Amino acid sequence: MSDVLRQKYEHRFRQLDVDDDGFISQDDVRGRARQLADAFGVPAHDPLTRNAEDAADVYWKGIVSHTPDGGVRRVDCPAFVAALDAAREDGTLRSMVKPAVRAHLAVTDQDGDGTVDADEFTAAQQAVGIPQDQALAAFSLLDVDGDGRLTLAEWENAVWEFYTSTDPEAPGNRVLGHG
């Protein structure tokens, strides 16, 4: 695995370690989904929140399935990094992250137009601890067609680039606050 991917995966681990105990668990991953929903005022019982939590479960199950014992309740950073790399190598990574991207766009798309504008994107990024200036800079890089909105395809491509690109300057690195 390249140093660039390792650094990005370690960054993602730190983002997901909601309680900062040096491990991530299913509760941490689901907690990030709830943080996003809470930031947009989406109630816990709302289907958007449930879909985001279900997508978090898909991601978590993908991580766990790539750990040596496959049934762990929590994962440390080295095991998380190794699991993401294994999922990237065996081709299952996309199926782990795609549901989360779709669910996050649905929560973030407050006006229901199927896209995310700069304000919506910035609010989503700030909900998970990314400063406004970094979020705005990321948005401008990720809005490939320059129309002031992120489509699902643009967001998916950016997340995919985060998880797979070894280019330290790749725009997708910024989608999850790295770089």
Side-chain angles (χ1 to χ4, degrees):
M1 168 182 357
S2 75
D3 287 342
V4 171
L5 287 176
R6 181 177 310 285
Q7 290 168 5
K8 290 191 293 186
Y9 294 172
E10 288 169 351
H11 170 79
R12 187 67 179 138
F13 176 88
R14 289 187 299 275
Q15 284 183 318
L16 292 171
D17 185 10
V18 174
D19 58 9
D20 202 29
D21 67 351
F23 295 91
I24 61 166
S25 66
Q26 186 170 16
D27 289 340
D28 286 321
V29 177
R30 290 179 66 108
R32 278 296 185 196
R34 282 190 300 275
Q35 271 183 316
L36 181 66
D38 289 347
F40 284 94
V42 181
H45 63 277
D46 190 284
L48 290 173
T49 302
R50 281 192 248 135
N51 287 344
E53 290 176 333
D54 290 347
D57 290 343
V58 169
Y59 185 83
W60 174 249
K61 289 173 185 171
I63 294 297
V64 170
S65 73
H66 288 87
T67 59
D69 65 6
V72 296
R73 294 185 179 264
R74 62 186 200 159
V75 176
D76 65 11
C77 190
F80 177 80
V81 169
L84 284 178
D85 190 50
R88 182 181 59 81
E89 288 289 328
D90 73 14
T92 59
L93 184 58
R94 189 178 293 269
S95 65
M96 290 168 50
V97 300
K98 194 170 188 172
V101 174
R102 290 174 181 264
H104 289 183
L105 184 131
V107 169
T108 305
D109 177 20
Q110 293 295 286
D111 60 11
D113 68 354
T115 64
V116 173
D117 65 28
D119 290 339
E120 293 166 332
F121 182 80
T122 301
Q125 296 291 286
Q126 288 180 292
V128 296
I130 298 167
Q132 181 179 14
D133 62 329
Q134 286 183 18
L136 288 170
F139 183 86
S140 68
L141 290 171
L142 303 177
D143 181 17
V144 176
D145 61 10
D147 67 354
R149 297 181 299 256
L150 292 181
T151 63
L152 177 60
E154 285 172 320
W155 200 330
E156 283 179 337
N157 290 339
V159 170
W160 186 244
E161 192 171 54
F162 174 87
Y163 280 105
T164 62
S165 176
T166 58
D167 177 0
E169 301 302 319
N173 295 349
R174 310 281 292 278
V175 73
L176 296 172
H178 188 266

